Amino acid sequence: MAWTKYQLFLAGLMLTTGSINTLSAKWADMFSAKGCHDAPEHKFTHPFLQAVGMFLGELSCLVVFYLLLCHDRRSPEPKMNPGQSFNPLLFFPPAMCDMTATSLMYVALNMTSASSFQMLRGAVIIFTGLLSVAFLGRRLSSSQWFGILTTILGLVIVGLADFLNKHQDDMHKLSNVITGDLLIIMAQIIVSVQMVLEEKFVYKHDVHPLRAVGTEGLFGFVVLSLLLIPMYFIHVGNFSDNPRQVLEDALDAFCQIGHQPLILLALLGNTVSIAFFNFAGISVTKEISATTRMVLDSLRTLVIWVVSLGLGWEKFHGLQVLGFLVLLVGTALYNGLHRPLLARIPCCATLVDTEDGSSRERERLLGNGKVQEDDDS
């Protein structure tokens, strides 16, 4: 069935804003500017402040939720389901997971390329699958297990591409890339814990997806904004690239923005894009399908990689192409995108029906917007 113009708009909005989210964050990292008190020019490395901006974008989803709710209640026949009442503190544990994972990923983005950053985020499939078996009692189909193994192979290939793509004589730069890649993998473990917590304790309360994203954004924004204060005094030595060598120097970031206003444009791009990306992702799930949302999220990785190459932010490496393709196959197998093809083969029809039954509950949750596929987060 052909898509409507509105559905095409939503798909394009999700793909565009999702790509802008990572690209704008990387663009901010590439600026250099003077800091406070006549500090010499240095790179803009403020991952925790960037994470605050990301949560501000998620928080805006809460504002959108209440605006839509007010508009719907004024209509003659209200159609919007606001969900049942719930204790907002249910969102605090997953919000803290989101905060920790997002902060780690922004630290890692300073160390590795935007394309590798996006590709390695595919590791969330591995840990979410394993944790869902251990804590949710879910049974994975054979294709999902094979998808997890394929994803692991893809991650190894992408990591190897990063290793070979750097000059072997520049050990400091190479160590940064390896550290960045490992931090991204660690972050995906935390993200998978977040998703399991959301499914086990939060979404059984029938919370509207926009309200869920916005509430987590509220907790993340408030807590991380407060943590910027002690971070200003925590000395971490060479781990930090700011002049004072503290965990996060927010004042230095604002001074750099004053000297180079384009940094503010990059940060705003990150904040605004995450808000629209969450809205578009939820709408795509509702208006088209959860499977389409997964496909678009995979295409986002390709867009980020192509744009990074076009802008000269990184160099082409054939092994990275192979890694992307393997990760794509792993994602497709885990999410059941192979079933429509196998269903056309008579001998495989029974196998497809069996696998489809084991995955029907997850598809139902995704179709209702109950399982959150975070961005950037």
Side-chain angles (χ1 to χ4, degrees):
M1 184 174 66
W3 286 4
T4 65
K5 291 183 179 179
Y6 180 60
Q7 289 174 332
L8 288 172
F9 167 76
L10 289 175
L13 183 64
M14 179 183 171
L15 184 60
T16 303
T17 54
S19 302
I20 290 175
N21 179 248
T22 298
L23 291 170
S24 59
K26 186 62 180 180
W27 187 33
D29 294 340
M30 298 179 71
F31 280 107
S32 293
K34 292 183 178 180
C36 300
H37 310 298
D38 297 325
E41 186 173 294
H42 54 281
K43 291 190 67 177
F44 185 84
T45 51
H46 298 281
F48 298 99
L49 185 67
Q50 286 180 286
V52 169
M54 190 278 296
F55 283 115
L56 182 60
E58 286 191 358
L59 175 58
S60 66
C61 291
L62 193 61
V63 178
V64 173
F65 167 76
Y66 283 111
L67 289 175
L68 291 175
L69 187 61
C70 289
H71 180 269
D72 184 69
R73 286 177 175 175
R74 291 178 181 177
S75 63
E77 297 181 2
K79 298 179 180 179
M80 184 174 174
N81 177 21
Q84 60 185 354
S85 59
F86 64 96
N87 184 355
L89 290 178
L90 283 172
F91 285 89
F92 189 77
M96 294 303 96
C97 290
D98 193 7
M99 182 190 73
T100 305
T102 301
S103 300
L104 283 175
M105 284 191 284
Y106 278 127
V107 171
L109 191 56
N110 280 285
M111 301 178 175
T112 190
S113 64
S115 61
S116 295
F117 169 83
Q118 195 64 38
M119 290 181 194
L120 291 173
R121 291 180 67 177
V124 70
I125 288 176
I126 301 170
F127 305 111
T128 302
L130 296 177
L131 290 177
S132 66
V133 171
F135 296 102
L136 299 179
R138 179 171 293 133
R139 294 181 62 183
L140 300 183
S141 65
S142 57
S143 64
Q144 287 178 310
W145 283 113
F146 191 65
I148 288 176
L149 293 176
T150 305
T151 301
I152 293 174
L153 176 61
L155 294 174
V156 172
I157 295 174
V158 172
L160 184 60
D162 279 346
F163 182 84
L164 297 177
N165 205 28
K166 302 302 175 184
H167 296 293
Q168 300 298 319
D169 56 345
D170 191 353
M171 292 307 297
H172 177 69
K173 188 174 182 180
L174 181 60
S175 64
N176 278 351
V177 171
I178 296 174
T179 302
D181 289 352
L182 291 176
L183 285 176
I184 296 170
I185 301 297
M186 290 175 56
Q188 301 321 299
I189 300 176
I190 300 173
V191 169
S192 64
V193 173
Q194 173 194 346
M195 296 179 70
V196 170
L197 286 174
E198 287 171 344
E199 187 170 342
K200 188 172 181 64
F201 299 113
V202 175
Y203 290 118
K204 65 180 182 180
H205 294 276
D206 190 29
V207 183
H208 191 281
L210 279 176
R211 193 178 186 184
V213 173
T215 304
E216 286 189 11
L218 174 62
F219 282 125
F221 177 78
V222 171
V223 172
L224 192 54
S225 295
L226 292 175
L227 287 177
L228 289 179
I229 299 173
M231 287 181 183
Y232 184 80
F233 301 100
I234 299 176
H235 191 271
V236 293
N238 293 329
F239 180 77
S240 175
D241 288 335
N242 59 67
R244 295 180 56 246
Q245 294 188 326
V246 292
L247 190 57
E248 179 60 279
D249 191 341
L251 294 180
D252 178 67
F254 291 127
C255 289
Q256 286 189 289
I257 292 172
H259 288 107
Q260 177 52 273
L262 285 177
I263 297 177
L264 179 61
L265 179 62
L267 296 178
L268 286 176
N270 187 38
T271 300
V272 174
S273 64
I274 193 64
F276 279 98
F277 177 70
N278 277 292
F279 169 76
I282 292 169
S283 299
V284 165
T285 302
K286 179 181 179 181
E287 297 291 334
I288 309 175
S289 71
T291 301
T292 302
R293 182 174 179 175
M294 297 168 194
V295 172
L296 290 172
D297 204 47
S298 298
L299 289 176
R300 179 165 63 123
T301 303
L302 180 61
V303 171
I304 292 169
W305 181 55
V306 171
V307 172
S308 297
L309 288 174
L311 294 175
W313 291 359
E314 53 186 276
K315 295 180 180 179
F316 177 83
H317 199 288
L319 201 57
Q320 197 173 40
V321 180
L322 178 61
F324 170 72
L325 293 176
V326 174
L327 285 173
L328 195 61
V329 171
T331 302
L333 288 171
Y334 185 83
N335 291 299
L337 302 185
H338 63 291
R339 294 193 187 100
L341 296 176
L342 292 179
R344 297 180 180 180
I345 305 175
C347 63
C348 300
T350 304
L351 177 61
V352 171
D353 290 338
T354 303
E355 289 186 351
D356 190 56
S358 65
S359 303
R360 195 170 293 141
E361 179 64 14
R362 173 176 172 80
E363 181 68 22
R364 183 186 68 80
L365 291 169
L366 280 166
N368 291 331
K370 299 291 183 66
V371 178
Q372 180 183 342
E373 301 289 342
D374 287 322
D375 130 38
D376 286 8
S377 113

